[in-house]
Amino acid sequence: MKKMLMAAGVAFVLGAWTNVSALGVQANGNPFLAEYTTPFKVPPFDKIKLEHYKEAFLKGMEEQAQEINAIVKQRSAATFENTIVALDQSGKLLSKVSAVFYGQNSANTSDEMQAISRELSPLLSKHRDDIKLNAGLFQRVKFVYDQKSKLNLTKEQAKLLEETYKDFVRGGANLDAAKQAKLRELNSELSMLELTFGQNMLKETNDFQLIIDKKEDLSGLPASLIASAADAAKAAKLEGKWLFTLHNPSVMPFLQYADNRALREKIYNGYINRGNNGNKSDNKEVVKKLVTLRLEKAKLMGYKDYASFMLEDRMAKTPEKVYALLDEVWTPALAKAKDELADIKAEIKKEGGNFEPEGWDWRYYFEKAKIAKFNLDENEVRPYLELNNVRDGAFYVANKLYGITFTEIKDIPTPHEEATAFECKDKDGTHLGVLYMDFFPRESKRGGAWCGGYRSQTYENGKRLAPVVTIVCNFSKPAGDQPALLSADEASTLFHEFGHGLHSLFRDVHYFGVASVPRDFVELPSQIMEHWVFEPEVLKVYAKHYKTGEVIPAALIEKLEKSGKYGQGFATVEYLAASLLDMDYHVLKEVPANLDAMEFEANVMNKRGLLKQIPPRYRSTYFNHTMGGGYTAGYYSYIWAEVLDADAFEAFKETGDIFNQDKAIKFRNNVLTPGAIDDAMDMYKNFRGKEPGTAPLLKNRGLM
């Protein structure tokens, strides 16, 4: 029953029922209602029309309702096969359309798609609840669960049974009728609020424009950014001007390089006030309702707060353990950030400035401080980080570690005209899956970067059905006659998302219900890949000047190595601030009736001594990770997983070979392949031979 569909980096669990027999659903011409005939059976994106989605969703829910009814009504006593497996394998059409719809709604949305998602939200919420609160179905699941010690199940089967039973209990199956009715109401409201939050955030991001019409106001900006802004202005019918937006490839380098302080302030305030503008897209009231209803749900389920409910089946288990890690890193990170602030003040003084630095000054003067300390300008590095070369560098690392290959596929449907497709083959030539890559920002794409999927790995008739994986980013576009040149951060992001992609491609499980690892383990496969991106041995393979083909000079690599930990105070503090904010909302035992999200945020940040120049990486009104539902009480997961990935990479380095085959095989077999068949920490110990400590993380960030 539990179909884990990776969309927007979030695992969607879809289930259950609505009556659509009277709606006249027709299969004619709807690609979802027939078997795909495309290469590798990828979705026929070019044939899918908006009207196909709702039709397939309704039909999919109807089909699964019939499957659930058949499980419940059968006369045979409940068994693992006729109940647990049948439930796990139900809803295939619903999973099929959901994977495409939610993937496209994140990467290539429209007003019409967003309207469909709002229309479907209450139906799908009811749909999930109709399965989890089906008394007859739960009775059969519990019957099998109570006999688990007698069933002689494999490890994978035993884990599926455990997860299925737990899913029902956490879904409210043990509540009385009145509480179940209330739970349905809360789930429906929460689903719609989370959807609304994300749609508001996208609109706020797209609505802001900084239009420059004086050439002198471009002072300090790299030529590539100026060219991109000119292209954006031309596309917006503002020829002869320059258009800057709140998409990261535009706003971040503007803050880093623009000499005009007033314009830096304007775009900075636009960025940090998304969802906080008192307009139709304002998210403050949405945040208040989300936090309030989540707490109400947690208490209904018997928990003291929502974080306790969410953390129960993750590695951390309790809020106390999350705070212990965050607080351990916060103190040295804040001290490091204060050192960096002193450097920034020195740069301001050096220029003759007599003002206290603000948030819109940090990146600008930090860049100057880095140049002064290390003689390194990021624009020296960009020419060596051409997008296709960085991508090929990620492919190279995967090949060296695991022997796998990636070959571009030309004649295949793609989710967007800018997306490219690759076939991934194992060392022996076996097909592992299809990987899409969609790299550039557009108004129809939400911000950030993520790895999702248009089909999850599974088995059909005893044969492995390979996944269809997608990596979606918002990188700097080609501008003028210059190709897409990445920043160091963007190169790391590509390797990060590629790590998620490898996790999906290598996964080999027989049941959907054991496919997805805990939220605070899922970043291990992605973050460990970041360790290879700037290793000198790897840079020499892919970092080639886009004009001359010259390999990145050893002197520049040395500068990168020396400066690599500079700036970790800011980076760590802004991340931890967001993680703490997420937790602080969700450990509330009572939510004040007059809760103001921005006041709450200011209070909890001030108590911890957050520097005024460093806002949380995501402020309350655009914190889609937590308010959108994917990382609720879970944004800490990145630093939790970094404890694992920093220690895991040490395992490679200790051998003297960052491509050590023994370690690579153990990592693939114990971490990347088994899904969630084993406990997360057991998987890690099976690879490493011990539990990790925090020392490698602190060392990696330059905090010890």
Side-chain angles (χ1 to χ4, degrees):
M1 186 268 292
K2 190 185 285 186
K3 302 292 193 294
M4 307 308 288
L5 303 174
M6 293 305 294
V10 178
F12 284 87
V13 184
L14 297 163
W17 187 87
T18 190
N19 187 349
V20 298
S21 58
L23 296 177
V25 172
Q26 299 293 323
N28 297 339
N30 190 325
F32 294 117
L33 304 185
E35 186 173 347
Y36 297 158
T37 58
T38 51
F40 305 107
K41 296 186 178 181
V42 302
F45 296 103
D46 54 332
K47 301 289 194 298
I48 296 170
K49 299 178 181 178
L50 278 172
E51 59 265 27
H52 293 150
Y53 287 117
K54 181 179 176 182
E55 180 183 33
F57 267 109
L58 295 175
K59 181 65 174 173
M61 286 187 276
E62 180 183 41
E63 284 187 5
Q64 192 170 31
Q66 293 168 353
E67 292 165 343
I68 298 302
N69 189 55
I71 294 171
V72 174
K73 298 297 184 183
Q74 62 186 307
R75 292 186 177 183
S76 304
T79 66
F80 179 78
E81 287 293 331
N82 73 17
T83 299
I84 307 302
V85 174
L87 183 58
D88 182 77
Q89 298 297 309
S90 68
K92 289 185 177 179
L93 172 58
L94 185 57
S95 296
K96 185 179 181 180
V97 63
S98 297
V100 177
F101 179 78
Y102 288 110
Q104 294 299 83
N105 197 37
S106 294
N108 193 25
T109 193
S110 63
D111 290 343
E112 293 79 8
M113 284 197 81
Q114 292 187 24
I116 292 170
S117 68
R118 294 183 72 83
E119 184 179 357
L120 288 171
S121 178
L123 295 178
L124 289 169
S125 179
K126 178 181 184 300
H127 193 62
R128 290 187 290 267
D129 286 338
D130 281 344
I131 282 187
K132 292 181 181 179
L133 302 177
N134 185 315
L137 183 59
F138 180 55
Q139 186 178 17
R140 292 183 67 88
V141 169
K142 189 175 185 303
F143 180 82
V144 180
Y145 181 78
D146 288 343
Q147 298 184 75
K148 59 183 177 181
S149 61
K150 306 174 186 177
L151 297 179
N152 196 30
L153 301 175
T154 66
K155 181 192 291 188
E156 185 176 9
Q157 291 170 335
K159 189 61 181 287
L160 174 64
L161 177 56
E162 177 189 338
E163 290 299 314
T164 302
Y165 177 76
K166 185 169 65 177
D167 199 41
F168 273 86
V169 173
R170 288 178 58 79
N174 281 327
L175 298 178
D176 62 34
K179 288 183 177 179
Q180 286 189 354
K182 182 61 178 177
L183 181 62
R184 286 176 179 272
E185 180 185 320
L186 290 170
N187 285 341
S188 183
E189 288 185 73
L190 285 167
S191 176
M192 185 61 77
L193 285 167
E194 289 169 357
L195 182 64
T196 300
F197 185 94
Q199 291 184 354
N200 286 347
M201 179 185 155
L202 179 63
K203 191 169 192 313
E204 285 280 273
T205 300
N206 285 336
D207 281 353
F208 179 92
Q209 293 183 335
L210 175 63
I211 300 167
I212 291 178
D213 54 12
K214 297 177 183 177
K215 200 166 187 177
E216 56 266 32
D217 287 337
L218 302 172
S219 175
L221 297 178
S224 59
L225 183 61
I226 293 171
S228 293
D231 288 346
K234 185 176 180 180
K237 298 181 180 178
L238 296 168
E239 191 128 17
K241 299 182 181 182
W242 296 269
L243 173 60
F244 297 89
T245 72
L246 298 184
H247 295 287
N248 274 5
S250 182
V251 62
M252 292 307 166
F254 191 93
L255 289 170
Q256 194 171 356
Y257 294 110
D259 291 332
N260 189 315
R261 189 170 186 241
L263 291 179
R264 291 202 312 269
E265 179 181 4
K266 184 175 181 180
I267 200 168
Y268 174 86
N269 284 330
Y271 185 82
I272 69 164
N273 284 303
R274 287 174 291 167
N276 181 34
N277 291 306
N279 54 22
K280 289 183 179 179
S281 300
D282 194 285
N283 267 333
K284 292 192 291 293
E285 189 65 22
V286 180
V287 171
K288 176 184 171 182
K289 289 178 180 177
L290 276 168
V291 174
T292 301
L293 294 182
R294 284 171 175 170
L295 177 59
E296 188 176 351
K297 177 177 177 176
K299 289 184 174 181
L300 185 71
M301 295 298 297
Y303 296 83
K304 61 183 179 180
D305 54 53
Y306 196 71
S308 297
F309 173 60
M310 294 300 291
L311 291 168
E312 184 182 55
D313 62 350
R314 295 185 189 154
M315 293 184 76
K317 302 300 182 190
T318 67
E320 290 76 18
K321 288 184 179 178
V322 174
Y323 278 116
L325 175 61
L326 297 179
D327 290 341
E328 180 183 353
V329 184
W330 176 262
T331 301
L334 188 60
K336 183 70 71 173
K338 289 177 180 177
D339 290 342
E340 293 165 5
L341 179 59
D343 291 344
I344 285 168
K345 289 180 176 179
E347 289 299 318
I348 293 172
K349 187 176 181 181
K350 192 188 299 182
E351 288 191 350
N354 185 27
F355 57 86
E356 182 71 11
E358 299 290 347
W360 51 90
D361 296 314
W362 189 289
R363 284 179 171 83
Y364 180 75
Y365 285 103
F366 177 78
E367 183 66 21
K368 291 179 179 292
K370 187 164 72 171
I371 292 172
K373 278 180 173 289
F374 302 101
N375 191 28
L376 176 65
D377 182 343
E378 188 177 276
N379 288 311
E380 291 180 71
V381 181
R382 275 186 184 265
Y384 296 95
L385 299 180
E386 192 273 325
L387 173 58
N388 292 324
N389 288 344
V390 178
R391 178 202 65 202
D392 290 346
F395 290 168
Y396 166 81
V397 170
N399 178 260
K400 286 281 286 184
L401 287 169
Y402 309 114
I404 63 175
T405 59
F406 291 85
T407 305
E408 187 168 0
I409 315 166
K410 293 289 189 181
D411 189 18
I412 192 171
T414 59
H416 189 272
E417 61 185 14
E418 292 179 341
T420 51
F422 297 85
E423 181 188 6
C424 177
K425 288 184 179 179
D426 211 340
K427 194 173 186 177
D428 62 1
T430 304
H431 175 74
L432 281 176
V434 171
L435 175 66
Y436 288 114
M437 290 181 153
D438 179 6
F439 287 134
F440 303 123
R442 50 183 175 265
E443 286 195 0
S444 62
K445 183 192 287 188
R446 71 176 177 86
W450 65 93
C451 178
Y454 291 108
R455 182 175 68 226
S456 297
Q457 176 272 323
T458 187
Y459 274 79
E460 282 189 354
N461 301 318
K463 293 183 179 180
R464 183 180 185 269
L465 181 63
V468 178
V469 183
T470 183
I471 289 173
V472 187
C473 302
N474 282 276
F475 292 152
S476 308
K477 275 188 169 184
D481 59 354
Q482 184 174 282
L485 302 178
L486 303 188
S487 67
D489 280 348
E490 288 175 327
S492 292
T493 296
L494 192 154
F495 270 64
H496 176 106
E497 299 305 335
F498 183 65
H500 280 308
L502 291 179
H503 195 191
S504 295
L505 290 165
F506 283 145
R507 185 181 294 119
D508 192 2
V509 297
H510 293 82
Y511 307 107
F512 294 108
V514 295
S516 295
V517 298
R519 174 60 63 197
D520 45 11
F521 188 81
V522 77
E523 298 299 335
L524 167 59
S526 56
Q527 290 178 180
I528 193 172
M529 282 299 295
E530 295 180 49
H531 290 270
W532 277 277
V533 64
F534 292 121
E535 281 290 319
E537 183 178 346
V538 178
L539 280 171
K540 290 172 184 176
V541 171
Y542 78 82
K544 300 174 182 177
H545 197 284
Y546 78 97
K547 284 185 177 178
T548 66
E550 173 200 12
V551 174
I552 189 169
L556 192 50
I557 292 178
E558 186 179 355
K559 288 182 186 180
L560 281 169
E561 287 184 304
K562 287 182 177 178
S563 66
K565 294 179 176 60
Y566 190 58
Q568 279 299 317
F570 173 90
T572 307
V573 165
E574 68 153 7
Y575 162 75
L576 291 175
S579 300
L580 289 162
L581 179 62
D582 170 32
M583 289 299 297
D584 289 347
Y585 273 121
H586 294 107
V587 296
L588 288 174
K589 308 300 186 290
E590 299 293 336
V591 178
N594 62 345
L595 176 74
D596 180 280
M598 306 318 291
E599 287 182 11
F600 178 85
E601 177 184 311
N603 288 337
V604 297
M605 292 297 106
N606 288 339
K607 285 178 183 177
R608 291 190 171 88
L610 179 66
L611 301 176
K612 72 170 185 175
Q613 296 88 354
I614 307 179
R617 181 174 295 174
Y618 299 103
R619 301 188 72 201
S620 300
T621 53
Y622 56 92
F623 199 169
N624 201 42
H625 282 78
T626 183
M627 298 304 169
Y631 282 75
T632 305
Y635 195 61
Y636 75 90
S637 297
Y638 292 93
I639 201 85
W640 187 278
E642 193 174 337
V643 173
L644 303 175
D645 74 69
D647 183 70
F649 192 66
E650 282 293 306
F652 285 90
K653 298 203 80 169
E654 286 165 4
T655 70
D657 177 10
I658 60 172
F659 294 112
N660 181 277
Q661 290 300 288
D662 177 59
K663 297 299 180 186
I665 291 168
K666 288 182 74 173
F667 192 77
R668 175 175 176 173
N669 290 344
N670 293 296
V671 175
L672 300 178
T673 297
I677 294 172
D678 287 314
D679 175 79
M681 186 55 78
D682 287 343
M683 285 195 288
Y684 186 79
K685 289 191 293 184
N686 290 341
F687 159 68
R688 188 67 162 112
K690 65 181 182 69
E691 290 193 10
T694 56
L697 176 150
L698 295 171
K699 180 182 175 184
N700 194 48
R701 285 183 174 258
L703 302 178
M704 66 175 294

